Amino acid sequence: MGETHQLSDLQLGLLRILWDRGEATALEVHTALVEQDRGLAPTTVSTMLSRLEKKGTITHRAEGRQFIYRSLVSEVEVRRSMLSRVTDYFFGGDVGALVSHLVEGKGVDPDDVARLQQLLAERSGEAEEDDDA
């Protein structure tokens, strides 16, 4: 599956800011977090950005005395990695059990059911094409 990305809520929050903006300084990330009512000290934000960089999740470039950060991983990659971990940990890798849990645990409206059926039909069609090749 590739590299695994297991991140805390705060780390995900920082990454979401970078995903939305493309790149940002530590001060810009801090300001965005304050706007989200996350009262963190600027030094905490800088520390968290440094940790994400050590993990290989983000990088920076220097512009004058400021570091400008950007993500090295996409939201899709992180989502896939984290969901895979949840599926393995809580459902023994059984994707069907995960989907069943999601469908049974929430009020799923008819539009969601139709979308799931469409996705499954498309996926089933892909599997048949792979079998024919």
Side-chain angles (χ1 to χ4, degrees):
M1 178 190 79
E3 202 170 335
T4 59
H5 304 285
Q6 299 306 309
L7 305 169
S8 69
D9 287 346
L10 177 56
Q11 290 172 326
L12 281 171
L14 297 174
L15 272 174
R16 281 195 178 104
I17 292 165
L18 295 177
W19 290 327
D20 289 345
R21 294 173 182 238
E23 59 181 23
T25 65
L27 181 59
E28 290 168 336
V29 172
H30 177 261
T31 301
L33 289 171
V34 168
E35 290 170 0
Q36 297 171 9
D37 292 326
R38 289 185 123 162
L40 297 171
T43 53
T44 302
V45 172
S46 293
T47 298
M48 295 303 296
L49 290 168
S50 293
R51 288 181 183 165
L52 284 171
E53 191 166 20
K54 285 178 186 167
K55 283 184 165 195
T57 306
I58 67 172
T59 190
H60 77 273
R61 64 181 169 82
E63 194 170 282
R65 295 180 58 189
Q66 289 188 319
F67 285 175
I68 300 175
Y69 294 91
R70 69 178 172 82
S71 178
L72 292 173
V73 295
S74 71
E75 186 173 3
V76 170
E77 289 173 289
V78 171
R79 185 183 308 139
R80 186 172 288 133
S81 176
M82 292 184 73
L83 190 53
S84 177
R85 169 89 165 112
V86 167
T87 304
D88 290 345
Y89 187 80
F90 288 105
F91 301 97
D94 184 348
V95 174
L98 169 67
V99 172
S100 177
H101 175 78
L102 292 173
V103 170
E104 291 172 6
K106 282 182 123 179
V108 179
D109 66 42
D111 289 341
D112 289 334
V113 171
R115 181 148 191 262
L116 283 170
Q117 289 172 330
Q118 179 184 0
L119 289 169
L120 290 171
E122 289 171 5
R123 181 71 177 165
S124 178
E126 290 173 9
E128 289 175 12
E129 288 175 13
D130 290 344
D131 289 344
D132 292 340

